[in-house]
Amino acid sequence: MTIQWFPGHMAKARRQVTEKLKLVDIVIELVDARIPLSSRNPMIEEIIGQKPRLVLLNKADMADTNRTNQWIAYFKEQGITALAVNAQAGKGLQVIVQAAKEILKDKFDRMKSRGMRPRAIRAMIVGIPNVGKSTLINRLAKKNIAKTGNTPGVTKAQQWIKVGKELELLDTPGILWPKFEDPKVGYKLALTGAIKDTILNLQDIAVYGLRFLAEHYPERLEERYGLEEISEEVVDSFDKIGAKRGCLMAGGEVNYDKTSEIIVRDIRNVQLGPMTFDFIGEAEKDSE
Ligand SMILES: Nc1nc2c(ncn2[C@@H]2O[C@H](COP(=O)(O)OP(=O)(O)OP(=O)(O)O)[C@@H](O)[C@H]2O)c(=O)[nH]1
């Protein structure tokens, strides 16, 4: 199964990102800390090419901290600096400028040795929908949105946001759409709110979520829904959850759509605790 959303948007977004890449020193790639692999655009390497990059694992407050640390180590092994942040609360943001400076040290040292005037690092944020791009930009911007008309090589004025003295951000982020062939990735995107439920079958998303919980966080199933395990016949578990949460139709039958909605919403809103759906092993399998 290949699901490709908005193929027209995809091509347009890609063109826009490619165009703006010329203006910046570094790309700040925002991924969802709950799905650091599934929330990346699969073409990202190809689109960004040799441009230096900083990866931010956003919504770290909603993810499993141990796994976030494992993912940071994983990116490091690939030669990529990754940081955990919470754009909403403004946590972890102070180190972004420092990390960007370190990544670009050689380039800026070379510029200096050629007698060029020191300037701020220019960056752009890219990421899939709903990953927190606007939240991060607003957090970093405070009130420092500045119009700079004279960016060399562009006719259209770009809006740059000053983040302290040392960093300038393009005010509009690049949107890179997710795309997947593996339905599992789709379920993870749906469970984290990156794609609408309507793209996939809601009951399938809920079943995936329940099975995932049973395998990796069984105690939380028990806590929230009073389930000790997910029965082979998953419908039995739906019956229990639906009955417990009052998702009944006239006649007392459990309403499976309503129950699915509750399960998906609970997972998405962290009612079952912070969790991470992607595992390092899955990344390693992909790169084989
Ligand atoms: N818990 C938590 N929520 C966050 C965080 N960052 C963003 N959010 C929430 O995630 C939702 C989406 O954030 P946006 O900033 O609109 O995401 P975006 O990437 O700009 O989305 P698009 O405009 O669809 O491309 C909002 O409800 C934010 O409040 C975070 O670090 N933690």
Side-chain angles (χ1 to χ4, degrees):
M1 171 172 74
T2 300
I3 294 189
Q4 193 172 344
W5 294 280
F6 329 108
H9 288 189
M10 181 96 88
K12 188 172 167 221
R14 190 181 163 160
R15 262 198 317 276
Q16 279 171 348
V17 170
T18 308
E19 199 48 45
K20 284 185 180 160
L21 271 180
K22 297 177 196 150
L23 306 174
V24 300
D25 302 301
I26 188 167
V27 171
I28 299 178
E29 183 194 356
L30 222 54
V31 299
D32 189 317
R34 294 168 293 176
I35 46 170
L37 188 62
S38 305
S39 60
R40 301 182 87 189
N41 177 289
M43 314 269 277
I44 185 94
E45 312 283 346
E46 203 186 303
I47 296 170
I48 292 180
Q50 294 303 307
K51 194 63 84 175
R53 178 169 20 149
L54 171 64
V55 170
L56 299 182
L57 285 85
N58 192 35
K59 309 198 185 185
D61 55 308
M62 303 171 104
D64 187 322
T65 308
N66 288 334
R67 298 238 161 87
T68 299
N69 290 333
Q70 288 169 8
W71 276 107
I72 289 173
Y74 167 84
F75 280 112
K76 194 168 175 195
E77 272 171 33
Q78 318 277 312
I80 298 174
T81 307
L83 303 170
V85 298
N86 170 351
Q88 199 179 47
K91 280 196 185 145
L93 305 187
Q94 327 72 272
V95 284
I96 293 175
V97 177
Q98 196 49 42
K101 273 172 76 174
E102 272 164 36
I103 293 167
L104 292 168
K105 188 173 182 306
D106 287 352
K107 176 177 175 177
F108 277 70
D109 281 351
R110 274 199 306 278
M111 280 162 48
K112 201 169 151 194
S113 68
R114 287 190 204 124
M116 289 163 82
R117 270 225 332 259
R119 63 164 174 82
I121 290 171
R122 294 183 193 129
M124 76 179 290
I125 289 176
V126 304
I128 64 168
N130 212 41
V131 73
K133 299 180 295 298
S134 307
T135 307
L136 178 67
I137 291 176
N138 290 335
R139 270 274 163 199
L140 291 173
K142 297 184 187 127
K143 290 197 181 74
N144 299 323
I145 298 180
K147 208 171 200 158
T148 55
N150 292 341
T151 309
V154 261
T155 42
K156 208 175 115 224
Q158 292 289 334
Q159 295 260 42
W160 292 93
I161 291 165
K162 285 189 193 299
V163 183
K165 285 197 173 64
E166 295 174 303
L167 182 71
E168 287 178 6
L169 270 185
L170 273 180
D171 73 328
T172 39
I175 301 176
L176 292 171
W177 306 89
K179 182 179 170 218
F180 60 88
E181 279 159 30
D182 180 355
K184 243 173 38 184
V185 174
Y187 297 139
K188 293 176 185 182
L189 287 164
L191 285 172
T192 51
I195 60 173
K196 292 201 183 84
D197 310 331
T198 45
I199 289 178
L200 298 160
N201 177 293
L202 188 65
Q203 286 184 19
D204 290 346
I205 304 169
V207 170
Y208 179 83
L210 282 186
R211 291 213 189 281
F212 182 87
L213 276 156
E215 195 176 339
H216 300 287
Y217 303 94
E219 68 291 348
R220 302 189 190 176
L221 271 184
E222 164 128 47
E223 241 166 69
R224 185 134 183 113
Y225 302 129
L227 290 180
E228 277 177 28
E229 55 178 12
I230 296 297
S231 37
E232 217 20 66
E233 288 298 325
V234 76
V235 70
D236 295 342
S237 306
F238 269 69
D239 281 336
K240 283 192 189 145
I241 298 173
K244 193 174 163 74
R245 299 294 296 266
C247 304
L248 302 176
M249 299 186 288
E253 297 258 315
V254 165
N255 180 335
Y256 295 125
D257 280 337
K258 190 95 195 60
T259 308
S260 303
E261 227 175 271
I262 286 192
I263 295 166
V264 171
R265 200 180 342 125
D266 276 357
I267 295 175
R268 201 180 272 170
N269 298 339
V270 204
Q271 297 297 324
L272 289 133
M275 53 181 124
T276 301
F277 298 95
D278 279 344
F279 293 85
I280 310 283
E282 295 168 311
E284 282 159 356
K285 211 165 62 207
D286 284 357
S287 61
E288 269 168 20

